[in-house]
Amino acid sequence: MTTTAASPWQAGATLEGRYLLTEPAGRGGSATVWHARDERLGRMVAVKLLKTDLLDDEAALHRLQVEAQALARLRHPNLADVYDYGLVHQGRRLSAAYLVMELIDGIPLKQVLTEQIRLPWEQAAQVGAQIADGLAAAHARGIVHRDIAPGNILLPAGDVKIIDFELCAPPGSNEYDADGQLIGTPAYVSPERLDGRLVQPAADVYALGVLLYRMLAGTLPWRADNAVALMTAPLLRPPTPLPPVPGLPPQLAAAVAACLSEQPDQRPSAAELAATLRAHTPDEVPAVVAVPAADDEAVTHILPWRPAGTRRRRRFLTAAAAAAVLAAAGVAWAVATRTEPPQFSAAPPAPQASLAACTAVYRLLSDDGGRYRANLTVTNTTDTPVSGPVAFTVPGDQRIDAAYGWAQRDRTVTNNTVGTVEAGRSAVVLVGGAYTGTNPLPTAFTLAGKPCAPTLLSTSGSRLPLPAASGATGPVAPGSGGPVLPGDQASPAASPQAPTAAPPSPEPPQSPEPSPAEPSPSAANPGDGEGEGRVLAPVPPTGP
Protein backbone atom coordinates (compact mmCIF):
# COMPACT_ATOMS: atom_id res chain seq x y z
CA MET A 1 0.00 0.00 0.00
CA THR A 2 1.30 3.48 -0.82
CA THR A 3 2.23 5.44 2.29
CA THR A 4 1.49 9.13 2.75
CA ALA A 5 3.81 12.05 3.38
CA ALA A 6 3.23 15.00 5.67
CA SER A 7 1.61 17.85 3.75
CA PRO A 8 4.11 20.41 2.42
CA TRP A 9 1.38 22.62 1.00
CA GLN A 10 1.25 26.21 2.12
CA ALA A 11 1.02 29.62 0.47
CA GLY A 12 3.86 30.01 -2.03
CA ALA A 13 4.23 26.27 -2.71
CA THR A 14 3.98 25.04 -6.30
CA LEU A 15 1.99 21.90 -7.06
CA GLU A 16 3.66 19.71 -9.70
CA GLY A 17 5.71 22.69 -10.86
CA ARG A 18 2.60 24.33 -12.31
CA TYR A 19 0.02 25.55 -9.77
CA LEU A 20 1.31 28.28 -7.44
CA LEU A 21 -0.82 28.24 -4.26
CA THR A 22 -1.60 31.79 -3.13
CA GLU A 23 -4.17 31.59 -0.29
CA PRO A 24 -6.72 29.15 1.08
CA ALA A 25 -10.27 29.86 -0.07
CA GLY A 26 -12.05 27.40 2.21
CA ARG A 27 -11.63 24.21 4.21
CA GLY A 28 -13.96 21.26 4.09
CA GLY A 29 -14.22 17.92 5.82
CA SER A 30 -12.21 16.22 3.10
CA ALA A 31 -10.27 18.97 1.34
CA THR A 32 -8.85 22.48 1.37
CA VAL A 33 -9.59 24.73 -1.61
CA TRP A 34 -6.82 27.14 -2.62
CA HIS A 35 -6.66 30.15 -4.87
CA ALA A 36 -3.81 29.36 -7.21
CA ARG A 37 -2.12 30.59 -10.37
CA ASP A 38 -1.65 28.25 -13.31
CA GLU A 39 1.90 29.23 -14.24
CA ARG A 40 1.70 27.43 -17.56
CA LEU A 41 -1.45 29.15 -18.85
CA GLY A 42 -1.21 32.35 -16.81
CA ARG A 43 -4.67 32.21 -15.22
CA MET A 44 -6.13 32.02 -11.72
CA VAL A 45 -7.73 28.71 -10.74
CA ALA A 46 -9.13 26.93 -7.70
CA VAL A 47 -7.19 23.90 -6.48
CA LYS A 48 -8.98 21.38 -4.28
CA LEU A 49 -6.39 19.46 -2.23
CA LEU A 50 -7.47 16.34 -0.38
CA LYS A 51 -6.44 16.58 3.27
CA THR A 52 -3.29 14.69 4.17
CA ASP A 53 -4.94 12.40 6.70
CA LEU A 54 -7.30 11.14 3.96
CA LEU A 55 -4.61 10.23 1.45
CA ASP A 56 -4.68 6.61 2.63
CA ASP A 57 -8.49 6.50 2.50
CA GLU A 58 -9.42 4.73 -0.71
CA ALA A 59 -13.04 5.91 -0.50
CA ALA A 60 -11.96 9.59 -0.23
CA LEU A 61 -9.55 9.22 -3.16
CA HIS A 62 -12.26 7.54 -5.20
CA ARG A 63 -14.76 10.34 -4.46
CA LEU A 64 -12.28 12.96 -5.65
CA GLN A 65 -11.64 11.03 -8.86
CA VAL A 66 -15.38 10.55 -9.47
CA GLU A 67 -15.93 14.29 -8.95
CA ALA A 68 -13.19 15.11 -11.45
CA GLN A 69 -14.54 12.70 -14.06
CA ALA A 70 -18.12 13.89 -13.59
CA LEU A 71 -17.25 17.57 -13.97
CA ALA A 72 -15.06 16.83 -16.98
CA ARG A 73 -18.15 15.46 -18.77
CA LEU A 74 -20.21 18.56 -18.04
CA ARG A 75 -20.17 21.91 -19.79
CA HIS A 76 -22.89 24.29 -18.64
CA PRO A 77 -23.05 27.96 -17.57
CA ASN A 78 -24.42 26.96 -14.15
CA LEU A 79 -21.77 24.32 -13.41
CA ALA A 80 -18.14 24.88 -12.46
CA ASP A 81 -15.60 23.65 -15.02
CA VAL A 82 -12.79 21.25 -14.11
CA TYR A 83 -9.35 21.68 -15.70
CA ASP A 84 -7.08 19.04 -14.20
CA TYR A 85 -6.78 16.16 -11.73
CA GLY A 86 -3.76 14.39 -10.39
CA LEU A 87 -1.86 12.50 -7.70
CA VAL A 88 1.54 13.63 -6.44
CA HIS A 89 4.08 11.09 -5.18
CA GLN A 90 7.31 11.51 -3.25
CA GLY A 91 9.02 8.22 -3.99
CA ARG A 92 6.52 5.57 -2.94
CA ARG A 93 4.61 8.01 -0.77
CA LEU A 94 1.44 9.77 -1.87
CA SER A 95 1.78 13.43 -0.87
CA ALA A 96 -1.21 15.03 -2.60
CA ALA A 97 -4.42 14.36 -4.51
CA TYR A 98 -5.88 17.39 -6.22
CA LEU A 99 -8.56 18.75 -8.51
CA VAL A 100 -8.10 21.99 -10.47
CA MET A 101 -11.30 23.91 -11.20
CA GLU A 102 -12.63 27.17 -12.50
CA LEU A 103 -12.14 29.95 -9.95
CA ILE A 104 -15.57 31.41 -9.20
CA ASP A 105 -15.75 34.83 -7.59
CA GLY A 106 -19.12 34.44 -5.94
CA ILE A 107 -20.91 34.51 -2.60
CA PRO A 108 -22.44 31.29 -1.19
CA LEU A 109 -26.24 31.29 -1.15
CA LYS A 110 -25.95 30.18 2.47
CA GLN A 111 -24.39 33.54 3.35
CA VAL A 112 -27.12 35.44 1.52
CA LEU A 113 -29.84 33.57 3.41
CA THR A 114 -27.99 34.10 6.67
CA GLU A 115 -28.07 37.86 6.11
CA GLN A 116 -31.44 38.28 4.39
CA ILE A 117 -33.49 35.39 5.85
CA ARG A 118 -35.46 35.06 2.59
CA LEU A 119 -35.34 36.36 -0.98
CA PRO A 120 -37.92 38.28 -3.02
CA TRP A 121 -39.88 35.64 -4.87
CA GLU A 122 -38.59 36.84 -8.25
CA GLN A 123 -34.98 36.32 -7.14
CA ALA A 124 -35.75 32.96 -5.53
CA ALA A 125 -37.42 31.76 -8.74
CA GLN A 126 -34.55 33.00 -10.90
CA VAL A 127 -31.93 31.32 -8.71
CA GLY A 128 -34.03 28.14 -8.63
CA ALA A 129 -34.42 28.14 -12.42
CA GLN A 130 -30.65 28.32 -12.95
CA ILE A 131 -30.01 25.57 -10.41
CA ALA A 132 -32.63 23.45 -12.17
CA ASP A 133 -30.97 24.16 -15.53
CA GLY A 134 -27.62 22.97 -14.19
CA LEU A 135 -29.17 19.86 -12.69
CA ALA A 136 -31.00 19.06 -15.92
CA ALA A 137 -27.67 19.17 -17.76
CA ALA A 138 -26.06 16.88 -15.17
CA HIS A 139 -29.00 14.46 -15.20
CA ALA A 140 -28.87 14.30 -19.00
CA ARG A 141 -25.25 13.12 -18.71
CA GLY A 142 -26.07 10.50 -16.09
CA ILE A 143 -24.93 12.44 -13.01
CA VAL A 144 -26.95 13.01 -9.82
CA HIS A 145 -25.44 15.66 -7.52
CA ARG A 146 -26.90 14.33 -4.20
CA ASP A 147 -25.99 17.38 -2.10
CA ILE A 148 -27.95 20.40 -3.33
CA ALA A 149 -27.94 22.81 -0.36
CA PRO A 150 -27.27 26.54 0.18
CA GLY A 151 -23.59 25.95 0.90
CA ASN A 152 -23.09 24.35 -2.52
CA ILE A 153 -24.59 27.20 -4.54
CA LEU A 154 -22.38 30.17 -5.45
CA LEU A 155 -23.73 33.47 -6.75
CA PRO A 156 -21.27 35.26 -9.04
CA ALA A 157 -22.55 38.63 -10.28
CA GLY A 158 -25.89 37.95 -11.98
CA ASP A 159 -25.24 34.21 -12.21
CA VAL A 160 -25.60 30.92 -10.33
CA LYS A 161 -23.05 28.10 -10.06
CA ILE A 162 -23.55 24.63 -8.59
CA ILE A 163 -20.36 23.43 -6.93
CA ASP A 164 -19.06 20.39 -5.04
CA PHE A 165 -19.92 17.23 -6.95
CA GLU A 166 -18.00 15.12 -4.44
CA LEU A 167 -21.05 13.00 -3.63
CA CYS A 168 -22.33 12.64 -7.19
CA ALA A 169 -23.31 9.22 -8.51
CA PRO A 170 -24.97 7.74 -11.60
CA PRO A 171 -28.67 6.83 -11.50
CA GLY A 172 -29.26 3.25 -10.43
CA SER A 173 -26.22 3.04 -8.14
CA ASN A 174 -26.48 2.32 -4.41
CA GLU A 175 -27.23 5.24 -2.10
CA TYR A 176 -25.27 3.64 0.74
CA ASP A 177 -21.56 2.92 0.74
CA ALA A 178 -20.02 -0.44 1.60
CA ASP A 179 -20.29 0.35 5.33
CA GLY A 180 -24.01 1.12 5.11
CA GLN A 181 -23.48 4.87 5.45
CA LEU A 182 -25.48 7.66 3.85
CA ILE A 183 -23.84 11.06 3.28
CA GLY A 184 -25.83 14.23 2.79
CA THR A 185 -27.11 17.50 4.24
CA PRO A 186 -29.91 16.60 6.70
CA ALA A 187 -32.57 19.13 5.68
CA TYR A 188 -32.18 18.29 1.99
CA VAL A 189 -32.05 14.47 2.05
CA SER A 190 -35.05 13.01 0.22
CA PRO A 191 -37.21 10.28 1.79
CA GLU A 192 -36.18 7.68 -0.78
CA ARG A 193 -32.51 8.22 0.05
CA LEU A 194 -33.24 7.39 3.69
CA ASP A 195 -35.09 4.28 2.56
CA GLY A 196 -32.01 3.12 0.67
CA ARG A 197 -33.55 3.13 -2.79
CA LEU A 198 -31.23 3.39 -5.78
CA VAL A 199 -29.84 6.77 -6.78
CA GLN A 200 -32.23 8.76 -8.97
CA PRO A 201 -32.39 12.36 -10.28
CA ALA A 202 -35.64 13.03 -8.40
CA ALA A 203 -33.60 13.30 -5.18
CA ASP A 204 -31.92 16.45 -6.55
CA VAL A 205 -35.33 17.91 -7.44
CA TYR A 206 -36.55 17.25 -3.89
CA ALA A 207 -33.50 19.04 -2.45
CA LEU A 208 -34.10 21.98 -4.78
CA GLY A 209 -37.74 22.05 -3.63
CA VAL A 210 -36.58 22.36 -0.01
CA LEU A 211 -34.17 25.12 -1.06
CA LEU A 212 -36.89 27.01 -2.95
CA TYR A 213 -39.17 26.77 0.10
CA ARG A 214 -36.31 28.04 2.27
CA MET A 215 -35.64 31.01 -0.05
CA LEU A 216 -39.32 31.95 -0.23
CA ALA A 217 -40.45 31.34 3.36
CA GLY A 218 -37.28 31.85 5.38
CA THR A 219 -37.89 28.51 7.10
CA LEU A 220 -37.77 24.82 6.28
CA PRO A 221 -40.91 22.87 5.29
CA TRP A 222 -40.84 20.75 8.47
CA ARG A 223 -40.42 21.56 12.14
CA ALA A 224 -37.41 19.75 13.58
CA ASP A 225 -35.38 20.18 16.74
CA ASN A 226 -32.55 17.79 15.89
CA ALA A 227 -31.07 16.10 12.85
CA VAL A 228 -32.96 12.85 13.37
CA ALA A 229 -36.29 14.69 13.39
CA LEU A 230 -35.15 16.82 10.47
CA MET A 231 -34.41 13.80 8.30
CA THR A 232 -37.37 11.66 9.34
CA ALA A 233 -40.07 14.37 9.34
CA PRO A 234 -40.83 13.89 5.60
CA LEU A 235 -41.52 10.21 6.33
CA LEU A 236 -44.01 11.07 9.05
CA ARG A 237 -46.08 13.98 7.77
CA PRO A 238 -46.52 16.23 4.73
CA PRO A 239 -44.69 19.56 4.55
CA THR A 240 -46.30 22.62 6.03
CA PRO A 241 -47.94 24.52 3.16
CA LEU A 242 -45.89 27.42 1.84
CA PRO A 243 -46.98 30.55 3.73
CA PRO A 244 -48.43 33.44 1.70
CA VAL A 245 -45.75 35.19 -0.35
CA PRO A 246 -46.95 38.52 -1.81
CA GLY A 247 -47.06 38.37 -5.60
CA LEU A 248 -45.96 34.73 -5.89
CA PRO A 249 -47.76 33.13 -8.86
CA PRO A 250 -49.81 30.10 -7.78
CA GLN A 251 -48.06 28.00 -10.44
CA LEU A 252 -44.74 28.48 -8.62
CA ALA A 253 -46.22 27.62 -5.23
CA ALA A 254 -47.64 24.46 -6.80
CA ALA A 255 -44.25 23.63 -8.35
CA VAL A 256 -42.53 23.87 -4.95
CA ALA A 257 -45.17 21.59 -3.42
CA ALA A 258 -44.70 19.08 -6.25
CA CYS A 259 -40.93 19.01 -5.68
CA LEU A 260 -41.57 18.05 -2.04
CA SER A 261 -43.75 15.05 -2.92
CA GLU A 262 -42.76 11.99 -0.93
CA GLN A 263 -42.96 9.80 -4.04
CA PRO A 264 -40.18 10.53 -6.57
CA ASP A 265 -42.37 9.87 -9.60
CA GLN A 266 -44.73 12.67 -8.52
CA ARG A 267 -42.02 15.33 -8.75
CA PRO A 268 -41.25 17.27 -11.93
CA SER A 269 -37.96 16.67 -13.70
CA ALA A 270 -35.28 19.32 -13.32
CA ALA A 271 -35.90 20.49 -16.89
CA GLU A 272 -39.67 20.76 -16.28
CA LEU A 273 -39.08 22.68 -13.07
CA ALA A 274 -36.70 25.10 -14.80
CA ALA A 275 -39.28 25.76 -17.54
CA THR A 276 -42.06 26.39 -14.98
CA LEU A 277 -39.95 28.76 -12.90
CA ARG A 278 -38.80 30.70 -15.95
CA ALA A 279 -42.27 30.93 -17.51
CA HIS A 280 -43.68 32.74 -14.48
CA THR A 281 -40.72 34.97 -13.56
CA PRO A 282 -40.04 38.45 -15.02
CA ASP A 283 -37.17 38.64 -17.49
CA GLU A 284 -35.46 41.48 -15.63
CA VAL A 285 -34.72 40.58 -12.00
CA PRO A 286 -32.06 42.35 -9.89
CA ALA A 287 -29.07 40.14 -9.13
CA VAL A 288 -28.83 38.65 -5.65
CA VAL A 289 -26.14 40.40 -3.64
CA ALA A 290 -24.76 40.07 -0.12
CA VAL A 291 -22.24 41.96 1.93
CA PRO A 292 -19.08 39.81 2.23
CA ALA A 293 -18.49 38.60 5.77
CA ALA A 294 -15.49 39.88 7.70
CA ASP A 295 -14.30 36.34 8.37
CA ASP A 296 -14.07 33.45 5.97
CA GLU A 297 -17.50 31.83 6.24
CA ALA A 298 -16.51 29.08 3.82
CA VAL A 299 -14.29 27.44 6.43
CA THR A 300 -15.31 23.90 7.28
CA HIS A 301 -13.96 21.41 9.75
CA ILE A 302 -13.46 17.68 10.10
CA LEU A 303 -15.65 16.25 12.83
CA PRO A 304 -14.56 12.69 13.66
CA TRP A 305 -17.45 10.29 14.16
CA ARG A 306 -17.81 6.57 14.50
CA PRO A 307 -21.15 4.73 14.88
CA ALA A 308 -21.61 3.28 18.34
CA GLY A 309 -20.95 -0.44 18.69
CA THR A 310 -19.27 -0.87 15.32
CA ARG A 311 -15.73 -1.26 13.99
CA ARG A 312 -15.48 0.91 10.91
CA ARG A 313 -12.92 2.90 8.97
CA ARG A 314 -12.55 6.49 10.13
CA ARG A 315 -15.31 8.60 8.67
CA PHE A 316 -15.97 12.30 8.81
CA LEU A 317 -18.75 14.78 8.79
CA THR A 318 -18.53 18.42 7.78
CA ALA A 319 -20.71 21.48 8.20
CA ALA A 320 -20.47 24.27 5.66
CA ALA A 321 -19.63 27.70 7.02
CA ALA A 322 -18.83 26.57 10.56
CA ALA A 323 -19.45 23.52 12.67
CA ALA A 324 -18.99 21.93 16.02
CA VAL A 325 -19.76 18.46 17.30
CA LEU A 326 -23.15 17.99 18.85
CA ALA A 327 -21.69 15.40 21.16
CA ALA A 328 -24.71 14.20 23.09
CA ALA A 329 -27.93 15.61 21.73
CA GLY A 330 -30.15 12.62 22.41
CA VAL A 331 -29.72 11.15 18.93
CA ALA A 332 -27.57 8.51 17.31
CA TRP A 333 -26.31 10.91 14.67
CA ALA A 334 -23.45 13.39 15.19
CA VAL A 335 -24.79 16.62 13.69
CA ALA A 336 -23.02 19.79 12.58
CA THR A 337 -24.80 22.81 14.08
CA ARG A 338 -24.02 26.00 16.03
CA THR A 339 -24.24 28.05 19.23
CA GLU A 340 -27.28 26.98 21.26
CA PRO A 341 -27.36 23.96 23.61
CA PRO A 342 -29.34 20.99 22.30
CA GLN A 343 -33.10 21.03 22.74
CA PHE A 344 -35.48 18.14 22.42
CA SER A 345 -38.78 18.20 20.63
CA ALA A 346 -41.90 19.06 22.55
CA ALA A 347 -43.45 16.07 24.24
CA PRO A 348 -46.22 14.27 22.37
CA PRO A 349 -49.23 13.26 24.42
CA ALA A 350 -49.08 9.81 25.91
CA PRO A 351 -51.27 7.71 28.18
CA GLN A 352 -50.84 7.45 31.93
CA ALA A 353 -48.52 10.47 32.02
CA SER A 354 -49.38 11.09 35.66
CA LEU A 355 -48.67 7.49 36.68
CA ALA A 356 -45.32 6.89 34.98
CA ALA A 357 -41.95 8.65 35.07
CA CYS A 358 -41.91 8.70 31.28
CA THR A 359 -43.87 7.83 28.18
CA ALA A 360 -42.66 5.99 25.09
CA VAL A 361 -44.25 6.39 21.65
CA TYR A 362 -42.98 3.69 19.27
CA ARG A 363 -43.89 4.32 15.64
CA LEU A 364 -43.21 1.80 12.91
CA LEU A 365 -41.83 3.52 9.80
CA SER A 366 -41.35 0.59 7.44
CA ASP A 367 -41.37 -3.21 7.40
CA ASP A 368 -40.62 -5.36 4.34
CA GLY A 369 -40.96 -8.77 5.98
CA GLY A 370 -37.32 -9.13 6.99
CA ARG A 371 -36.12 -5.69 8.00
CA TYR A 372 -37.91 -2.84 9.70
CA ARG A 373 -37.39 0.73 10.83
CA ALA A 374 -39.11 2.69 13.62
CA ASN A 375 -38.66 5.76 15.76
CA LEU A 376 -38.98 5.89 19.52
CA THR A 377 -39.99 9.12 21.27
CA VAL A 378 -39.32 8.97 25.02
CA THR A 379 -40.74 11.81 27.13
CA ASN A 380 -39.71 12.76 30.65
CA THR A 381 -43.01 13.33 32.49
CA THR A 382 -41.40 14.23 35.82
CA ASP A 383 -40.59 17.71 37.13
CA THR A 384 -36.81 17.19 37.08
CA PRO A 385 -34.22 16.38 34.39
CA VAL A 386 -33.48 12.69 33.86
CA SER A 387 -30.12 11.31 32.75
CA GLY A 388 -29.69 7.72 31.74
CA PRO A 389 -30.11 5.20 28.97
CA VAL A 390 -33.22 4.40 26.98
CA ALA A 391 -33.94 0.69 26.90
CA PHE A 392 -36.62 -1.72 25.79
CA THR A 393 -37.24 -5.45 25.73
CA VAL A 394 -37.26 -7.24 22.37
CA PRO A 395 -40.43 -9.36 22.26
CA GLY A 396 -39.31 -11.64 19.40
CA ASP A 397 -36.15 -12.74 17.61
CA GLN A 398 -35.26 -9.27 16.32
CA ARG A 399 -31.60 -8.30 16.04
CA ILE A 400 -31.31 -4.54 16.51
CA ASP A 401 -28.85 -2.56 14.36
CA ALA A 402 -26.00 -1.06 16.38
CA ALA A 403 -25.63 1.84 13.96
CA TYR A 404 -28.26 3.91 15.75
CA GLY A 405 -26.39 3.68 19.05
CA TRP A 406 -28.14 0.55 20.33
CA ALA A 407 -26.40 -2.32 22.14
CA GLN A 408 -28.27 -5.62 22.43
CA ARG A 409 -27.71 -8.25 25.08
CA ASP A 410 -30.07 -11.19 24.82
CA ARG A 411 -33.51 -9.52 24.64
CA THR A 412 -32.55 -6.22 26.28
CA VAL A 413 -31.62 -3.30 24.02
CA THR A 414 -29.97 -0.17 25.43
CA ASN A 415 -29.09 3.22 23.95
CA ASN A 416 -26.76 5.59 25.85
CA THR A 417 -26.77 8.46 23.32
CA VAL A 418 -29.75 10.32 24.77
CA GLY A 419 -27.93 12.13 27.58
CA THR A 420 -30.15 14.33 29.76
CA VAL A 421 -33.85 14.76 29.00
CA GLU A 422 -35.26 17.90 30.60
CA ALA A 423 -38.59 17.87 32.44
CA GLY A 424 -41.49 17.73 30.00
CA ARG A 425 -39.19 17.25 27.01
CA SER A 426 -38.59 14.33 24.63
CA ALA A 427 -35.76 12.48 22.99
CA VAL A 428 -36.23 10.82 19.59
CA VAL A 429 -34.11 7.80 18.66
CA LEU A 430 -34.33 5.67 15.54
CA VAL A 431 -34.58 1.89 15.73
CA GLY A 432 -33.78 -0.53 12.94
CA GLY A 433 -33.28 -4.24 12.78
CA ALA A 434 -33.87 -7.60 11.16
CA TYR A 435 -36.07 -10.56 12.06
CA THR A 436 -37.40 -13.88 10.81
CA GLY A 437 -41.01 -14.99 10.97
CA THR A 438 -43.01 -12.27 12.68
CA ASN A 439 -42.12 -8.83 14.03
CA PRO A 440 -43.97 -8.24 17.32
CA LEU A 441 -43.63 -4.64 18.51
CA PRO A 442 -42.02 -3.93 21.87
CA THR A 443 -44.12 -2.63 24.76
CA ALA A 444 -41.66 -2.59 27.71
CA PHE A 445 -39.64 0.65 27.63
CA THR A 446 -37.55 2.41 30.28
CA LEU A 447 -35.76 5.75 30.69
CA ALA A 448 -32.89 5.72 33.20
CA GLY A 449 -34.30 2.46 34.53
CA LYS A 450 -37.81 3.83 35.11
CA PRO A 451 -40.69 2.15 33.23
CA CYS A 452 -42.45 4.23 30.58
CA ALA A 453 -46.12 4.15 29.61
CA PRO A 454 -46.13 2.79 26.02
CA THR A 455 -47.98 3.86 22.89
CA LEU A 456 -47.67 1.95 19.60
CA LEU A 457 -48.33 3.57 16.23
CA SER A 458 -48.58 1.98 12.78
CA THR A 459 -46.81 3.30 9.69
CA SER A 460 -49.81 5.54 8.99
CA GLY A 461 -49.72 6.98 12.52
CA SER A 462 -52.82 5.11 13.75
CA ARG A 463 -52.85 3.66 17.24
CA LEU A 464 -52.27 -0.05 17.75
CA PRO A 465 -53.81 -1.99 20.64
CA LEU A 466 -51.60 -2.87 23.59
CA PRO A 467 -51.57 -6.38 25.06
CA ALA A 468 -53.48 -6.84 28.30
CA ALA A 469 -50.40 -7.67 30.39
CA SER A 470 -47.54 -5.19 30.59
CA GLY A 471 -44.42 -6.51 28.91
CA ALA A 472 -46.33 -9.18 26.98
CA THR A 473 -45.65 -9.73 23.32
CA GLY A 474 -47.00 -6.77 21.41
CA PRO A 475 -48.93 -6.52 18.16
CA VAL A 476 -47.28 -7.86 15.04
CA ALA A 477 -46.18 -5.33 12.45
CA PRO A 478 -48.22 -5.32 9.23
CA GLY A 479 -46.37 -6.97 6.37
CA SER A 480 -44.12 -8.93 8.73
CA GLY A 481 -45.65 -12.28 7.99
CA GLY A 482 -47.76 -12.24 11.14
CA PRO A 483 -51.48 -11.67 11.58
CA VAL A 484 -53.05 -8.57 10.10
CA LEU A 485 -53.61 -5.96 12.78
CA PRO A 486 -56.90 -4.29 13.38
CA GLY A 487 -54.58 -2.37 11.67
CA ASP A 488 -54.85 1.09 10.92
CA GLN A 489 -58.23 1.34 12.58
CA ALA A 490 -57.85 3.67 15.53
CA SER A 491 -58.88 1.92 18.71
CA PRO A 492 -61.29 3.85 20.92
CA ALA A 493 -59.19 2.68 23.83
CA ALA A 494 -56.78 4.78 25.76
CA SER A 495 -53.82 5.43 23.44
CA PRO A 496 -53.30 9.05 22.44
CA GLN A 497 -53.50 10.49 19.01
CA ALA A 498 -50.32 10.47 16.96
CA PRO A 499 -48.25 13.62 17.35
CA THR A 500 -49.60 16.28 15.05
CA ALA A 501 -47.55 18.30 12.62
CA ALA A 502 -46.05 21.43 14.14
CA PRO A 503 -45.29 24.65 12.32
CA PRO A 504 -42.02 24.69 10.41
CA SER A 505 -38.82 25.78 12.08
CA PRO A 506 -35.70 26.94 10.36
CA GLU A 507 -33.20 24.50 11.76
CA PRO A 508 -32.23 21.94 14.40
CA PRO A 509 -30.61 23.08 17.67
CA GLN A 510 -27.12 24.43 17.67
CA SER A 511 -23.91 23.40 19.27
CA PRO A 512 -22.69 25.02 22.47
CA GLU A 513 -19.19 25.32 20.97
CA PRO A 514 -19.25 27.65 17.96
CA SER A 515 -16.47 27.36 15.44
CA PRO A 516 -13.76 29.96 16.07
CA ALA A 517 -13.85 30.86 12.41
CA GLU A 518 -17.54 31.80 12.51
CA PRO A 519 -19.00 35.05 13.90
CA SER A 520 -21.89 34.64 16.30
CA PRO A 521 -25.20 34.52 14.38
CA SER A 522 -28.17 36.71 15.12
CA ALA A 523 -30.68 35.03 17.37
CA ALA A 524 -33.43 36.05 14.98
CA ASN A 525 -31.73 34.52 11.98
CA PRO A 526 -33.39 31.31 10.79
CA GLY A 527 -30.75 30.75 8.12
CA ASP A 528 -28.07 29.58 10.51
CA GLY A 529 -27.35 25.94 11.13
CA GLU A 530 -30.28 24.30 9.36
CA GLY A 531 -28.42 21.03 9.30
CA GLU A 532 -26.26 22.20 6.44
CA GLY A 533 -23.07 20.38 5.66
CA ARG A 534 -22.52 16.66 5.40
CA VAL A 535 -23.83 14.25 7.96
CA LEU A 536 -22.90 10.59 7.91
CA ALA A 537 -26.23 9.04 8.71
CA PRO A 538 -26.06 5.45 9.93
CA VAL A 539 -29.35 4.50 8.31
CA PRO A 540 -29.07 0.99 6.90
CA PRO A 541 -31.24 0.19 3.89
CA THR A 542 -34.60 -1.31 4.71
CA GLY A 543 -34.10 -4.18 2.31
CA PRO A 544 -32.77 -7.53 3.48
Side-chain angles (χ1 to χ4, degrees):
M1 178 178 177
T2 301
T3 58
T4 59
S7 175
W9 309 116
Q10 56 186 347
T14 302
L15 182 65
E16 300 229 274
R18 177 173 180 179
Y19 303 108
L20 175 64
L21 306 181
T22 59
E23 61 177 339
R27 298 191 253 319
S30 63
T32 300
V33 178
W34 287 80
H35 288 160
R37 177 179 171 82
D38 184 344
E39 299 286 72
R40 185 177 301 169
L41 298 179
R43 64 179 175 182
M44 295 302 295
V45 296
V47 175
K48 183 175 183 177
L49 274 167
L50 195 67
K51 290 191 173 179
T52 304
D53 57 354
L54 293 177
L55 291 175
D56 60 351
D57 188 325
E58 294 179 3
L61 290 168
H62 178 68
R63 282 196 297 268
L64 187 67
Q65 182 181 21
V66 168
E67 181 179 8
Q69 293 173 339
L71 287 171
R73 289 155 49 193
L74 298 174
R75 288 291 183 271
H76 191 274
N78 299 120
L79 304 175
D81 288 335
V82 64
Y83 301 143
D84 197 4
Y85 163 80
L87 304 175
V88 180
H89 290 85
Q90 293 179 353
R92 292 181 56 83
R93 296 186 301 173
L94 180 64
S95 61
Y98 68 91
L99 178 63
V100 182
M101 302 172 290
E102 172 189 6
L103 181 62
I104 302 170
D105 184 16
I107 298 171
L109 178 57
K110 173 181 171 63
Q111 180 182 330
V112 175
L113 295 177
T114 297
E115 295 168 357
Q116 300 183 20
I117 311 301
R118 60 180 63 84
L119 297 180
W121 76 262
E122 298 91 342
Q123 290 183 336
Q126 185 183 70
V127 170
Q130 293 189 63
I131 297 172
D133 278 336
L135 290 176
H139 297 167
R141 300 302 299 269
I143 297 170
V144 180
H145 187 281
R146 295 205 300 168
D147 200 17
I148 295 298
N152 289 332
I153 305 298
L154 289 183
L155 303 175
D159 205 353
V160 174
K161 292 280 188 178
I162 303 173
I163 62 171
D164 201 346
F165 276 73
E166 181 181 354
L167 305 186
C168 70
S173 57
N174 289 325
E175 275 288 1
Y176 294 82
D177 65 16
D179 289 334
Q181 305 291 346
L182 174 67
I183 308 177
T185 302
Y188 301 87
V189 174
S190 64
E192 69 271 14
R193 293 194 67 202
L194 286 177
D195 283 342
R197 302 185 214 175
L198 298 180
V199 171
Q200 51 189 309
D204 284 347
V205 175
Y206 175 90
L208 179 50
V210 176
L211 182 54
L212 283 165
Y213 190 109
R214 172 68 182 83
M215 289 189 288
L216 291 166
T219 65
L220 296 174
W222 287 271
R223 178 178 180 81
D225 294 324
N226 55 56
V228 173
L230 192 65
M231 298 175 77
T232 58
L235 299 172
L236 303 178
R237 59 182 183 269
T240 301
L242 190 69
V245 177
L248 179 69
Q251 297 90 340
L252 298 193
V256 173
C259 291
L260 298 177
S261 297
E262 182 178 355
Q263 297 303 320
D265 59 3
Q266 295 178 4
R267 301 171 201 153
S269 68
E272 291 168 342
L273 178 60
T276 300
L277 293 171
R278 192 163 285 108
H280 299 282
T281 304
D283 293 333
E284 297 297 328
V285 177
V288 179
V289 297
V291 178
D295 294 321
D296 181 9
E297 293 194 358
V299 171
T300 56
H301 304 273
I302 293 178
L303 303 183
W305 176 82
R306 184 174 286 114
T310 60
R311 296 174 56 90
R312 299 192 186 278
R313 293 175 62 86
R314 178 187 46 73
R315 295 288 175 183
F316 60 88
L317 107 93
T318 68
V325 176
L326 185 58
V331 295
W333 274 300
V335 184
T337 49
R338 294 188 299 188
T339 60
E340 305 259 352
Q343 299 290 328
F344 293 105
S345 60
Q352 305 173 359
S354 61
L355 302 178
C358 54
T359 63
V361 178
Y362 184 94
R363 175 164 182 171
L364 190 68
L365 300 178
S366 64
D367 188 324
D368 66 4
R371 289 193 59 84
Y372 71 96
R373 205 156 48 83
N375 68 10
L376 174 61
T377 302
V378 179
T379 302
N380 174 11
T381 58
T382 69
D383 295 329
T384 59
V386 174
S387 298
V390 171
F392 65 87
T393 301
V394 174
D397 67 353
Q398 298 96 330
R399 299 304 304 173
I400 308 301
D401 295 331
Y404 297 106
W406 296 100
Q408 182 170 357
R409 184 171 183 178
D410 297 327
R411 294 178 63 184
T412 300
V413 188
T414 306
N415 192 310
N416 289 296
T417 66
V418 168
T420 299
V421 183
E422 300 296 331
R425 308 296 287 180
S426 301
V428 182
V429 192
L430 288 181
V431 183
Y435 66 92
T436 57
T438 60
N439 183 24
L441 304 185
T443 59
F445 305 91
T446 62
L447 173 62
K450 303 291 186 180
C452 301
T455 296
L456 305 182
L457 302 176
S458 70
T459 53
S460 68
S462 299
R463 295 166 296 180
L464 300 177
L466 293 172
S470 176
T473 299
V476 177
S480 66
V484 177
L485 292 173
D488 290 335
Q489 299 294 324
S491 165
S495 293
Q497 295 295 332
T500 56
S505 69
E507 65 270 336
Q510 301 172 338
S511 165
E513 299 179 8
S515 165
E518 182 73 5
S520 297
S522 164
N525 184 355
D528 291 328
E530 58 188 27
E532 290 184 26
R534 309 283 166 68
V535 59
L536 285 169
V539 189
T542 56

